[in-house]
């Protein structure tokens, strides 16, 4: 890679620029304000500020779209049509309409496109995927998926001004915590929503949902309970898979996987010291393999749009 553009100036965009610098020290990195506002300060992780996104199509080898979700289609489509490989941060879009615009551009041009659901790259996630496929807990019956974190602790500046708290920027628990919806679909297949409650508790002074509870049915009649929230004072991110022969518990915070069955309980994997930036580096390396037409595990555009469709299904069921 000789020239790379990262659209957005938030934390995730900064992480991507630093990782591009680590992987491709000689690359020219463009930082692109998603709003087009004038920015003059150049940090060590970029070489140039580019305010005209449209002019970049002729001079970059790859683009990372890390702007707010409602802007993803607007920022990505022109590059896809120009044949420039695009990695889009999650969620791929804030609406199914925008997701379909991205799919249409992709199908017309076949440009390499991937989406940043990086939790699938966790070592414990990969092992869990293998364990479920192996049938170690027998016929799968139920799954419980839960994530919660106190938004003011997560967005340490004024959380009310963060992307998470503003509907116009794609905020709300469903879009911001859609990692859980993505990996549940990856592990269990497509979900059919039976019941959903999408709540605005009023405790955080924000205009988006901060509590979501869903009951869905996956393939082979697996019942799935999903809980998302912005309210838990101690961060919580766990899931459990209950089968006829045992139970698998995945803790994403401790990066551990525990199996309980008739013989007892054992830790299959744990690494609490895991550097989570490796997720993003691995995702970038995988995207480079996609561009090179090598074997990869990139999250496809079709897959990510299906998660947006699930979010719309949840909202429609809740209304």
């Amino acid at each position: 890679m000789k020239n790379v553009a990262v659209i957005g100036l938030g934390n995730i965009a900064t992480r991507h620029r630093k990782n591009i610098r680590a992987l491709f020290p000689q690359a020219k990195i463009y930082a692109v304000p998603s709003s087009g506002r004038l920015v003059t300060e150049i940090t060590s992780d970029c070489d140039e500020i580019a305010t005209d996104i449209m002019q970049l199509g002729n001079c970059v080898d790859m683009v990372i779209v890390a702007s707010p979700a409602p802007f993803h289609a607007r920022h990505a489509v022109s590059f896809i049509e120009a044949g420039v490989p695009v990695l889009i941060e999650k969620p791929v879009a804030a609406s199914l309409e925008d997701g379909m615009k991205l799919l249409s551009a992709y199908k017309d041009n076949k440009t390499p496109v991937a989406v940043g659901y990086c939790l699938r790259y966790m070592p414990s996630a990969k092992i869990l995927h293998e364990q479920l496929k192996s049938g170690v807990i027998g016929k799968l019956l139920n799954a419980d998926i839960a994530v919660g974190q106190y938004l003011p602790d997560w967005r340490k500046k004024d959380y009310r001004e963060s992307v998470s708290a503003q509907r116009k920027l794609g905020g709300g628990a469903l879009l911001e915590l859609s990692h859980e919806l993505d990996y549940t679909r990856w592990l269990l297949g497509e979900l059919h929503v039976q019941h959903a409650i999408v709540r605005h508790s009023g405790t955080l002074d924000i205009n988006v949902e901060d509590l979501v509870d869903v009951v869905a049915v996956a393939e082979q009649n697996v019942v799935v309970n999903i809980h998302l929230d912005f309210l838990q004072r101690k961060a919580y991110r766990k899931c459990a898979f209950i089968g006829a022969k045992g139970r698998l518990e995945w803790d994403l915070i401790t990066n551990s996987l525990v199996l309980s069955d008739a013989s007892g309980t054992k830790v299959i994997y744990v690494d609490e010291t895991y550097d989570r930036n490796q997720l993003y580096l691995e995702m970038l390396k995988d995207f480079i393999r996609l561009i090179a037409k090598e074997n990869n595990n990139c999250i496809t555009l079709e897959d990510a749009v299906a998660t947006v469709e699930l979010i719309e299904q949840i909202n429609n069921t809740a209304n």
Side-chain angles (χ1 to χ4, degrees):
M1 292 293 151
K2 295 181 179 179
N3 300 290
V4 179
V6 180
I7 302 174
L9 299 178
N11 291 337
I12 188 62
T14 299
R15 183 189 291 273
H16 283 309
R17 291 195 305 270
K18 290 180 177 178
N19 286 338
I20 288 292
R21 180 71 79 208
L23 292 176
F24 304 102
Q26 305 306 316
K28 183 173 183 178
I29 301 174
Y30 295 88
V32 188
S34 60
S35 64
R37 71 182 189 272
L38 181 63
V39 177
T40 57
E41 182 180 353
I42 297 178
T43 60
S44 60
D45 54 50
C46 74
D47 300 292
E48 186 175 323
I49 304 292
T51 56
D52 190 340
I53 293 175
M54 301 305 294
Q55 289 184 354
L56 288 173
N58 297 322
C59 60
V60 293
D61 306 305
M62 182 177 83
V63 173
I64 299 176
V65 176
S67 52
F71 308 151
H72 285 178
R74 183 195 314 172
H75 291 155
V77 165
S78 61
F79 291 107
I80 296 172
E81 291 176 342
V84 178
V86 181
L87 174 63
I88 307 172
E89 257 304 324
K90 68 86 196 161
V92 70
S95 69
L96 186 55
E97 180 182 359
D98 276 356
M100 298 310 292
K101 289 178 183 177
L102 287 162
L103 273 177
S104 177
Y106 170 73
K107 289 176 180 178
D108 287 344
N109 297 276
K110 297 301 181 183
T111 303
V113 180
V115 181
Y117 279 113
C118 61
L119 291 185
R120 296 195 198 183
Y121 292 95
M122 288 183 70
S124 51
K126 296 175 183 179
I127 295 171
L128 171 61
H129 190 260
E130 293 168 0
Q131 291 288 309
L132 289 173
K133 286 179 64 177
S134 74
V136 68
I137 58 173
K139 177 179 172 59
L140 190 60
L141 305 171
N142 283 74
D144 292 304
I145 315 294
V147 59
Q149 185 170 3
Y150 192 51
L151 186 60
D153 291 342
W154 176 16
R155 303 299 191 187
K156 294 189 180 296
K157 294 182 179 179
D158 186 349
Y159 71 90
R160 298 174 189 84
E161 299 299 318
S162 70
V163 168
S164 303
Q166 299 185 63
R167 191 167 304 283
K168 66 181 181 181
L169 297 180
L174 273 168
L175 286 169
E176 281 289 88
L177 300 175
S178 63
H179 273 298
E180 268 58 30
L181 303 178
D182 169 73
Y183 76 64
T184 301
R185 292 182 49 257
W186 174 54
L187 294 169
L188 303 180
E190 295 306 329
L191 303 178
H192 303 282
V193 177
Q194 306 298 303
H195 185 66
I197 303 175
V198 177
R199 289 181 284 169
H200 176 210
S201 72
T203 61
L204 292 178
D205 189 27
I206 58 178
N207 70 351
V208 293
E209 78 278 356
D210 51 19
L211 284 161
V212 177
D213 289 279
V214 178
V215 179
V217 176
E219 295 173 4
Q220 299 181 342
N221 290 320
V222 178
V223 176
V224 184
N225 292 281
I226 301 172
H227 173 83
L228 318 171
D229 77 61
F230 284 165
L231 300 173
Q232 294 191 58
R233 293 301 181 106
K234 183 178 180 181
Y236 183 94
R237 201 165 211 172
K238 295 182 181 181
C239 54
F241 300 86
I242 302 161
K245 295 181 180 179
R247 174 187 178 100
L248 280 165
E249 296 184 20
W250 182 30
D251 188 326
L252 286 78
I253 294 177
T254 61
N255 191 27
S256 63
L257 186 62
V258 175
L259 170 65
S260 300
D261 58 18
S263 64
T265 299
K266 64 178 179 179
V267 177
I268 295 177
Y269 179 89
V270 63
D271 182 4
E272 293 190 48
T273 64
Y274 179 71
D275 178 3
R276 292 185 178 256
N277 191 53
Q278 292 300 315
L279 295 175
Y280 299 92
L281 285 169
E282 191 58 44
M283 182 173 67
L284 279 173
K285 292 175 184 176
D286 208 24
F287 186 52
I288 299 303
R289 289 192 284 270
L290 173 65
I291 294 171
K293 298 182 179 180
E294 298 173 356
N295 289 337
N296 65 85
N297 296 301
C298 287
I299 291 79
T300 67
L301 188 56
E302 293 94 337
D303 199 355
V305 171
T307 295
V308 176
E309 189 171 9
L310 174 60
I311 289 171
E312 293 215 353
Q313 185 185 159
I314 291 168
N315 274 320
N316 290 337
T317 303
N319 292 333

